[in-house]
Amino acid sequence: MSIPLGVALGLLLGGVELVLRARLPLAPDLLAVAIGALLLQSQRRPVGGWILGVLLGFSTFSADPTAAVLLGGGIAALLLVPMRDLVFLESAWTQALFGLAAAVALRCARELYAWFDLVPRLPWSEASFTAPLLSALLLPILVRLGGELRRMARRIADRIDAWRARAGRQTS
Amino acid sequence: MADGLREQRPQRWPAVLVLIGVSGMVPVPVLEHAHGLIEAVAWSVRGLVDPVERTALAASEVAAPPDLALALDPRVVSLLETIRRRVLPPPARGWQREGHFGVVLVGAPPVENHRDEARELVVQTAAPVPSGEPAFFGEQLIGFTRVHADGSARIERITRPGGRTTACVGAPGEREARCLALGDGSTDLRVAYADGGVELREGDRAWAVDPPGRSGAAAIRVVGGALLGRLVRGELPTGAARDEWRIVPPVPVESLAEVAIRFPAGFAPPGETDIYPFTVTLAPDPLLDRRRSFCRIDRGREAGVLAGAAISNGGALIGRVERSGYGAALVRTLRDPGFRMRALLLQSGTAVAFDLVARGDRGGFVEIAPPPCPGWEGALVVTAASPDGTPEGLLFGALERHGDRCELLAAASAVGPAAAWRLPGAWGADR
């Protein structure tokens, strides 16, 4: 079930990035942000299916072969999965590093394909540098925001439970 | 407990992802097909769920005029016919027998087989080529086809070392001497065993003679009467007791880009493959990278549009289908950097085949790698026929020189209605 949900998430992220790039001069690499965010999850959660789905969904917004996008995701995961045991995942610097590493891994995979003439070599543009940096900047912010939202949701759920218990006592 | 076990288990999925990614670089048909299938499925899913794309296509459909010229540009067709008329032998000669002649592109053998250059020409077509059939340029006999075990076809030149052609030299109907025209690897033929008692003169005509058939069998005209060239006196050491005569072909074989081959019944000549155009609607670039040039059409596999199919507008090429899913296909346009397609350069009555490689859009022009022949300035470039779904004669545009750069003034614009070219298949021509 995680792969279809991942595909849907990838399509959503691709659409959002398409809109961002059409409206703004600079935009982050949202695929790198998603991979980084998924790899920052606890090891108890199975994220492989999610990442495969996100890569498949997002690849439909890329002119490069799907295999090149999968290779980029694979390189990022190969680097970052063992790193989860070595670094403090709650640190904002670590989170920024995960976002940057994922963006660079995706770029490396594309360059590898270009080296074998499987995709055209493209000139480096401003976006080639700004997108990974923006991804690195965005990932800690999103992780904090997600944590805060989760905490808020838990607090609301607790209040609802307390309200139900009080209402139950009053009716009895 | 289960979570604890999962945490201790080695994570293999990153390596699997890398393996899948690396397999995309391996040129094995099975893997290529599998990756194409994955892309098609993902592309189809996007077409089904993406409301932005559906809106864009609907907007283009409203803007599309009701009728659209699907056919090839008649001026290009006429130009190609004029060029081909020089290549095809006259039908009155009867060499086509029960088959018919088709024009194929030829080129020199690959660089690593340089020694074969004097022996053969490589036939550059994906269509099946019959073996042992004569190849002509107009009335001039060039050689005979030979198909290798790997399916590649060559034309063995009559001038190759060891080549023997039964011939006649002299003035037809007045002075005729039977002889053998022998190849020695040079550009001309040596006259050997000529009949005695017939005077040979410089400039005399040399023509091929069909070898005698079995007694009682019907005489078949294969190459009888085909022009080999004109006689010139060869060089011999001083004091030699005999004359040396050589046959010089009227058109040097090295300069030829196209020849005519006889295709027996059952063989379809290239350029005559049945490819049908039908109307599609183009929508703007649906991809993230603004440096690339892609567009999208509203038909896909369900309509028989597969990867490789050409997309044109009024006889001018827009691009080629890169990915095809259900209900939509992604088209790589001519302006995309790295776009590559087989093309014909039409200049001064000849067609030269080359690989057109686009380097990117330069504000109205498309910069391309210069064609490997001189005098390309101002020449027209059209598509060469391809079995993937490209007809011959779709116009790329005209070439211009800007400093050191070769620029193509593209004829088509990638907006509005267009024609997709598809091969006849399981979907049939009724849809």
Side-chain angles (χ1 to χ4, degrees), chain B residues 5-388:
Chain B
L5 284 175
R6 184 183 287 159
E7 205 168 339
Q8 287 163 10
R9 211 166 48 196
Q11 306 259 357
R12 294 200 185 92
W13 61 267
V16 173
L17 273 183
V18 170
L19 270 180
I20 296 171
V22 170
S23 70
M25 293 192 276
V26 183
V28 175
V30 178
L31 291 174
E32 285 172 348
H33 182 73
H35 283 288
L37 204 63
I38 291 170
E39 284 181 354
V41 171
W43 184 249
S44 304
V45 171
R46 183 187 163 186
L48 289 172
V49 302
D50 193 343
V52 178
E53 295 307 322
R54 278 209 300 273
T55 316
L57 281 172
S60 306
E61 221 160 309
V62 170
D67 60 334
L68 166 71
L70 293 172
L72 297 169
D73 190 329
R75 290 168 299 178
V76 174
V77 173
S78 150
L79 190 59
L80 277 170
E81 275 175 8
T82 311
I83 290 171
R84 295 290 152 73
R85 221 168 285 142
R86 289 183 61 206
V87 182
L88 289 168
R93 293 290 194 170
W95 296 321
Q96 78 270 24
R97 288 170 275 153
E98 84 288 2
H100 49 293
F101 280 105
V103 175
V104 294
L105 299 165
V106 290
V111 178
E112 58 266 28
N113 295 337
H114 187 69
R115 64 190 178 83
D116 290 339
E117 201 170 323
R119 304 177 64 91
E120 54 192 17
L121 297 169
V122 178
V123 179
Q124 299 171 341
T125 176
V129 172
S131 200
E133 293 294 343
F136 296 91
F137 180 77
E139 289 197 26
Q140 181 185 342
L141 179 65
I142 305 296
F144 292 85
T145 59
R146 186 163 61 88
V147 180
H148 287 239
D150 61 358
S152 66
R154 307 285 171 112
I155 293 171
E156 282 189 336
R157 293 165 55 172
I158 54 172
T159 53
R160 73 185 185 280
R164 294 160 69 93
T165 310
T166 326
C168 213
V169 290
E174 295 172 18
R175 292 178 290 108
E176 293 185 1
R178 297 287 287 256
C179 66
L180 278 178
L182 303 179
D184 53 10
S186 66
T187 54
D188 45 18
L189 296 158
R190 188 164 71 84
V191 175
Y193 307 111
D195 288 343
V198 180
E199 186 195 358
L200 299 181
R201 297 174 197 160
E202 279 211 57
D204 275 354
R205 187 185 166 95
W207 65 96
V209 174
D210 283 324
R214 287 173 300 163
S215 60
I220 301 172
R221 200 173 175 82
V222 181
V223 292
L227 183 64
L228 297 178
R230 296 278 174 185
L231 279 188
V232 294
R233 203 177 286 274
E235 288 178 7
L236 277 177
T238 319
R242 60 184 176 84
D243 284 334
E244 164 82 350
W245 291 100
R246 299 193 74 86
I247 302 169
V248 178
V251 180
V253 175
E254 291 73 23
S255 70
L256 295 179
E258 295 181 318
V259 297
I261 290 178
R262 191 188 85 97
F263 286 85
F267 280 87
E272 292 181 21
T273 318
D274 292 328
I275 304 177
Y276 302 109
F278 71 104
T279 311
V280 292
T281 308
L282 280 169
D285 182 352
L287 299 178
L288 289 170
D289 199 333
R290 296 280 152 217
R291 293 168 294 180
R292 310 296 299 272
S293 179
F294 279 76
C295 53
R296 183 183 164 116
I297 57 170
D298 60 341
R299 296 281 185 275
R301 284 172 180 261
E302 83 289 349
V305 179
L306 301 177
I311 306 295
S312 66
N313 187 349
L317 184 89
I318 292 171
R320 202 168 43 177
V321 171
E322 189 80 4
R323 285 178 203 164
S324 180
Y326 183 84
L330 184 67
V331 179
R332 187 177 190 185
T333 73
L334 170 61
R335 295 173 187 278
D336 187 55
F339 179 89
R340 179 186 283 264
M341 203 165 179
R342 196 76 180 149
L344 295 175
L345 185 83
L346 309 182
Q347 55 166 6
S348 58
T350 58
V352 179
F354 73 107
D355 279 328
L356 184 140
V357 183
R359 289 176 176 165
D361 198 350
R362 302 281 182 269
F365 288 90
V366 181
E367 187 184 346
I368 65 165
C373 60
W376 46 259
E377 295 87 350
L380 278 185
V381 184
V382 299
T383 55
S386 157
D388 291 336

Side-chain angles (χ1 to χ4, degrees), chain A residues 39-172:
Chain A
L39 289 175
L40 283 169
Q41 299 293 311
S42 159
Q43 290 194 18
R44 290 177 188 170
R45 290 190 185 165
V47 293
W50 274 92
I51 288 184
L52 176 62
V54 169
L55 290 168
L56 284 174
F58 201 92
S59 70
T60 60
F61 288 86
S62 167
D64 300 330
T66 302
V69 181
L70 293 180
L71 179 63
I75 292 171
L78 214 55
L79 287 173
L80 298 178
V81 166
M83 208 187 273
R84 292 198 291 193
D85 295 333
L86 307 173
V87 294
F88 179 53
L89 294 178
E90 300 298 320
S91 158
W93 290 107
T94 306
Q95 291 159 3
L97 179 73
F98 268 54
L100 187 67
V104 171
L106 288 166
R107 181 82 201 183
C108 283
R110 196 198 180 276
E111 289 301 317
L112 193 64
Y113 265 67
W115 198 44
F116 286 101
D117 282 335
L118 297 168
V119 295
R121 281 174 203 280
L122 295 172
W124 290 77
S125 63
E126 278 177 20
S128 311
F129 302 100
T130 53
L133 291 175
L134 282 176
S135 306
L137 189 70
L138 190 64
L139 187 54
I141 297 171
L142 284 179
V143 170
R144 289 287 148 85
L145 197 67
E148 286 299 322
L149 284 174
R150 265 202 301 271
R151 219 165 290 143
M152 198 188 293
R154 212 174 298 137
R155 225 173 285 149
I156 291 170
D158 287 348
R159 285 200 183 164
I160 289 171
D161 286 344
W163 179 79
R164 273 185 186 157
R166 205 166 43 234
R169 271 200 305 274
Q170 282 172 358
T171 49
S172 65

